[in-house]
Amino acid sequence: MASGNVKVKAGTRPPWVGLAAAVWVQMAAGNAYTFPLYSPALKSVLGYDQRQVAMLGVANDVGENFGVVAGVLCNSLPPWLVLLVGAALCFLGFGTLWLAVSGTVLGMPYWLLWIALAIGTNSNAWFVTAVLVTNMRNFPLRRGVVAGLLKGYVGLSAALFTQVFSGLLHRSPTALLLLLAAGIPVVCLSTMYYVRPCTPALGGAGGEEEDAMQDGHFAFAQAASVLLGAYLVGTTVLGTVVKLSDAASYALFAVTVLLLLAPLAIPVKMTLFRKKKKPPPMEPPTPEEEPLLIPASDPPPPADEDSDEKVAVLLAEGEGAVVKRKSRRPRRGEDFEFTEVLVKADFWLLWFGYFIGVGTGVTVLNNLAQIGAAAGIADTTILLSLFGLGNFLGRLGGGAISEKFVRSPTLLLPRPVWMSLTQTVLAVAYLCLAYALSPGAVYACAAVIGVCYGAQFAVMIPTTSELFGLKNFGLFYNLMAVANPLGAVIFSEELAGQLYDSEAARQRQRHGGGGGGHPHACVGPECFRVAFVVLAACCAVGTAVSLVLAARIRPVYRALYAGGSFRLPNGNQQH
């Protein structure tokens, strides 16, 4: 669906150019993951206590996931303008934080910084909406793979920013905020021309060969992203073990840039090695064989039947010759409007299952430093990198694996099955942390929880588009994304935060208020035990909800993927 009067780019290479550009935008869209890197500076420089910093973390989550406005406007604004709005918000929000932390402007009120942080991270909603909606429409037959790949790069951005922060910026929060305020808008301005609607590949003649080529290209992009993820984690671990020189840090970052450019090799290869189209062998009819008139008994060409009928009906309605028939409600798999989707039980089942998965996962992410400290881990850099790598693998694998099984002619599994499976694993991981909190368990569970947390995104995104269409996908996706900050408030702030503070207060009373360390610190498995048990119980409920949804929508997937290949429903054509 082209937005407004946007010119649709034709050809087979432009969608891949846009996908390569989207990789850079998605890496920039992970700026909310940098909050743990500069939040200590907010605490020390501005004199905030832990609860104030935690509330800034809520602003970080709210801003990142409040994308309803972007979802509504993405159907009327071209992608480049959506990206431009995001770049402006990024500059304004993080620029304000930089002014406060650097001491350029003194005495900024707390409420102003809360709003500034929410504005800065709200740029992510505009970035993700622009590239995700555009690329889902450019590759409508590979929705799961596209969603997993693009969201996977967002997950990798935490490791990228950690590498830049530790190596290039020498762990300077002020320099990091300046990079977020100025560097990210420059990246988006450089790539926004290439993120544009293109003519999608919908198969046709030679469709099997075209599908094989697309599968090979996506496999290359996925392999490049996995290599990038392993490289980022490896360099992060190396930086904690060995003191790297400035030259070594710059050299490692140069390799990172090359790996980020890897998806661009796909359109370059398509340019250098153009595929020659072989015209189908056919002989032009002779004058004796070519009829001048089509007999009345012959049916009209099937390709024009629907369009001719629609034009005739519209003309008749315009002249008052017929009364417009009452339109039926769309069926699942077709394009829904906003008011239509709100009364669908499947929408709310998907939303609730996603809310449980991301809400409990973001609780671990937001409290990762405190969880590590409670287990006796002093440096949580590797812990954050493990969670980030797992998050990336979950997003990438969740999209690719669910895509494979929905296309399986023998074992067709609806995507929410994988949401239920990962939430079962989450429940086991939370119980492990509740009763076996040790450094080894925390490292392992951080990676596992990251995988399951990332898979929620990769499953939710294509499921939403398959059930309710691509026409208003940007809006529906951002309605789903509201579950993330809501989960952060309920599970992280109200549940884990309150229980942590209560246990920390009991430990201070037990030791007479003495002892070293931070006055609000808590040590031992009791700090999060009750919270983890509650999170495990919630995931058990989420597993049941996702299984109910999977059973309800299995007929939809049988219709969409009959014969092992995706086909657009009649009411869900390209717009």
Side-chain angles (χ1 to χ4, degrees):
M1 176 179 182
S3 302
N5 296 321
V6 180
K7 185 177 179 180
V8 178
K9 192 76 172 176
T12 58
R13 283 170 294 151
W16 294 100
V17 175
L19 188 67
V23 165
W24 286 77
V25 178
Q26 291 294 82
M27 296 299 280
N31 59 60
Y33 291 121
T34 63
F35 181 72
L37 300 178
Y38 62 81
S39 59
L42 298 175
K43 193 173 185 179
S44 59
V45 175
L46 303 179
Y48 294 154
D49 58 27
Q50 186 62 34
R51 187 162 184 81
Q52 288 176 306
V53 173
M55 286 304 298
L56 286 175
V58 173
N60 187 74
D61 292 330
V62 169
E64 179 188 13
N65 294 281
F66 182 74
V68 175
V69 177
V72 172
L73 294 180
C74 72
N75 278 355
S76 55
L77 299 180
W80 69 265
L81 189 53
V82 177
L83 290 175
L84 185 62
V85 173
L89 293 175
C90 189
F91 176 78
L92 177 62
F94 288 109
T96 303
L97 289 176
W98 176 81
L99 291 174
V101 174
S102 64
T104 306
V105 177
L106 300 176
M108 280 194 184
Y110 177 82
W111 62 267
L112 179 60
L113 292 180
W114 197 97
I115 295 175
L117 180 55
I119 290 175
T121 56
N122 188 240
S123 62
N124 298 335
W126 295 80
F127 295 153
V128 173
T129 298
V131 300
L132 192 60
V133 171
T134 303
N135 281 278
M136 291 280 281
R137 290 171 177 170
N138 289 347
F139 299 96
L141 308 187
R142 295 292 187 275
R143 303 183 190 187
V145 179
V146 171
L149 183 65
L150 292 180
K151 294 298 287 185
Y153 274 104
V154 176
L156 274 183
S157 62
L160 173 66
F161 282 115
T162 301
Q163 182 197 55
V164 173
F165 177 73
S166 302
L168 304 184
L169 304 181
H170 306 291
R171 296 181 177 269
S172 169
T174 304
L176 176 62
L177 288 172
L178 183 60
L179 174 67
L180 297 178
I184 288 180
V186 169
V187 170
C188 292
L189 292 175
S190 303
T191 57
M192 66 183 187
Y193 172 78
Y194 302 101
V195 180
R196 58 191 303 176
C198 302
T199 303
L202 297 177
E208 293 184 0
E209 186 177 353
E210 181 72 20
D211 287 346
M213 184 183 68
Q214 282 204 12
D215 289 340
H217 289 163
F218 277 116
F220 172 80
Q222 290 168 330
S225 64
V226 171
L227 181 60
L228 174 63
Y231 177 78
L232 287 173
V233 172
T235 54
T236 301
V237 174
L238 180 64
T240 59
V241 176
V242 181
K243 177 66 176 178
L244 298 174
S245 64
D246 290 345
S249 298
Y250 287 121
L252 292 175
F253 182 70
V255 176
T256 301
V257 173
L258 291 177
L259 291 174
L260 284 171
L261 289 172
L264 193 60
I266 298 173
V268 170
K269 173 250 182 185
M270 298 175 73
T271 302
L272 297 178
F273 303 96
R274 293 178 180 270
K275 180 183 176 183
K276 295 182 179 180
K277 296 183 179 180
K278 297 181 180 179
M282 59 179 295
E283 297 180 0
T286 61
E288 292 79 8
E289 295 173 337
E290 182 178 11
L292 297 178
L293 295 175
I294 299 177
S297 59
D298 290 345
D304 298 331
E305 182 176 348
D306 291 340
S307 58
D308 289 346
E309 182 181 353
K310 290 177 182 178
V311 170
V313 171
L314 289 174
L315 289 175
E317 287 176 355
E319 296 172 357
V322 298
V323 179
K324 186 176 181 180
R325 293 178 298 177
K326 184 179 180 180
S327 60
R328 63 169 177 83
R329 290 185 177 181
R331 299 185 181 94
R332 292 175 298 184
E334 299 177 352
D335 286 324
F336 278 71
E337 299 296 335
F338 174 70
T339 54
E340 295 169 336
V341 82
L342 292 181
V343 297
K344 296 299 293 183
D346 293 333
F347 178 85
W348 294 110
L349 287 171
L350 179 60
W351 188 94
F352 186 77
Y354 177 69
F355 163 74
I356 295 292
V358 298
T360 59
V362 79
T363 300
V364 174
L365 177 60
N366 288 350
N367 295 276
L368 203 55
Q370 289 79 13
I371 294 172
I377 300 174
D379 187 358
T380 57
T381 303
I382 298 178
L383 201 59
L384 180 61
S385 296
L386 286 174
F387 187 95
L389 178 62
N391 186 14
F392 158 70
L393 293 176
R395 297 181 186 214
L396 185 68
I401 294 173
S402 66
E403 187 82 8
K404 179 178 179 60
F405 277 89
V406 295
R407 293 176 180 273
S408 173
T410 56
L411 184 63
L412 192 154
L413 293 180
R415 295 188 200 271
V417 167
W418 302 100
M419 188 177 286
S420 66
L421 178 62
T422 53
Q423 291 185 12
T424 301
V425 177
L426 279 174
V428 175
Y430 294 145
L431 291 176
C432 177
L433 289 175
Y435 294 102
L437 189 68
S438 64
V442 172
Y443 282 124
C445 289
V448 171
I449 292 172
V451 171
C452 298
Y453 172 72
Q456 310 302 310
F457 296 88
V459 171
M460 177 276 290
I461 293 172
T463 303
T464 302
S465 73
E466 288 162 340
L467 292 181
F468 310 114
L470 286 172
K471 179 182 177 182
N472 294 301
F473 168 71
L475 174 60
F476 300 155
Y477 161 73
N478 284 293
L479 288 175
M480 288 286 174
V482 173
N484 202 311
L486 187 60
V489 172
I490 295 176
F491 293 118
S492 181
E493 173 68 17
E494 297 299 326
L495 176 65
Q498 295 285 353
L499 293 175
Y500 179 90
D501 288 340
S502 299
E503 180 59 29
R506 279 194 293 269
Q507 290 186 5
R508 287 198 304 272
Q509 292 177 357
R510 193 179 305 130
H511 295 88
H518 195 277
H520 300 291
C522 180
V523 179
E526 298 83 6
C527 301
F528 291 98
R529 175 168 292 165
V530 177
F532 283 137
V533 171
V534 173
L535 295 182
C538 291
C539 283
V541 176
T543 298
V545 169
S546 299
L547 286 176
V548 170
L549 175 63
R552 285 174 55 93
I553 66 177
R554 187 167 187 179
V556 181
Y557 277 89
R558 283 177 178 167
L560 290 177
Y561 290 93
S565 60
F566 183 82
R567 62 184 184 87
L568 293 172
N570 292 332
N572 191 20
Q573 307 299 323
Q574 281 301 113
H575 299 272

